Each structure stands twice: as structure tokens, then as C-alpha cells.
Amino acid sequence: MLVFSRGQEESADLAALDTLQRHYGHVAGATTFFTIMQEQYAAKDETEKLPTWLLSHPKLQYRIDAINARIDMNNWYKGQVVPKQ
């Protein structure tokens, strides 16, 4: 069952990426959420585990790599995100 759920999550990630590109004309910041999560869980004590809901999802680095591969394949802009002030 995990493979089915992980496949759905990967499809959702890529659909969201396509939506970002169509809406904003770039995908800057697309991996930020996953990178922050990865850093937070890497810094935790080894006795602390990932939340149960995350176990059915693809590994964070895999998600980052898949998103970056789609960006590179389409030659989309992924530079810096600058918040509006």
C-alpha cells in the first residue's frame, strides 16, 4: 500500500510544480518546504522518529531530486524568491 501512496504523492508534487510554473512563470522556492523538513529531522536526536504520516510519503531527498529533475528537464527558472514588501 505504501508504494501506491508514494506514487500518488510524487504525482501530486509534480502537478503542484507544473501549477507553480503556469501561475507564476517560475518555480523558485519549490523545494524549500522539503529542504527545511529534511534539515529539521536530520538535526533531531536519533531516538526521535519521523511522524507516522510521513512514513507513507516518498523520502524527502527523493522528492527534492524529482522536483529538481522536472525543473531541469523543462529548463524552468528556479532562482531566488523575493517576498513582496
Side-chain angles (χ1 to χ4, degrees):
M1 198 65 167
L2 289 179
V3 173
F4 181 69
S5 180
R6 288 179 178 157
Q8 288 177 317
E9 287 294 328
E10 181 178 358
S11 294
D13 288 349
L14 298 179
L17 185 66
D18 293 346
T19 301
L20 281 174
Q21 174 62 30
R22 280 193 307 274
H23 186 76
Y24 294 108
H26 66 82
V27 292
T31 60
T32 302
F33 172 74
F34 299 118
T35 302
I36 290 170
M37 284 184 59
Q38 188 176 45
E39 290 168 358
Q40 287 181 344
Y41 285 106
K44 288 189 180 282
D45 186 298
E46 288 184 25
T47 59
E48 295 183 69
K49 296 182 179 183
L50 291 174
T52 304
W53 63 267
L54 196 53
L55 297 176
S56 66
H57 291 58
K59 293 190 181 290
L60 296 170
Q61 188 59 55
Y62 177 84
R63 294 175 94 163
I64 293 166
D65 292 344
I67 289 168
N68 282 327
R70 175 72 141 251
I71 291 169
D72 292 342
M73 181 179 73
N74 290 294
N75 199 29
W76 288 338
Y77 175 76
K78 62 178 179 180
Q80 294 293 323
V81 177
V82 179
K84 290 184 178 182
Q85 294 182 347

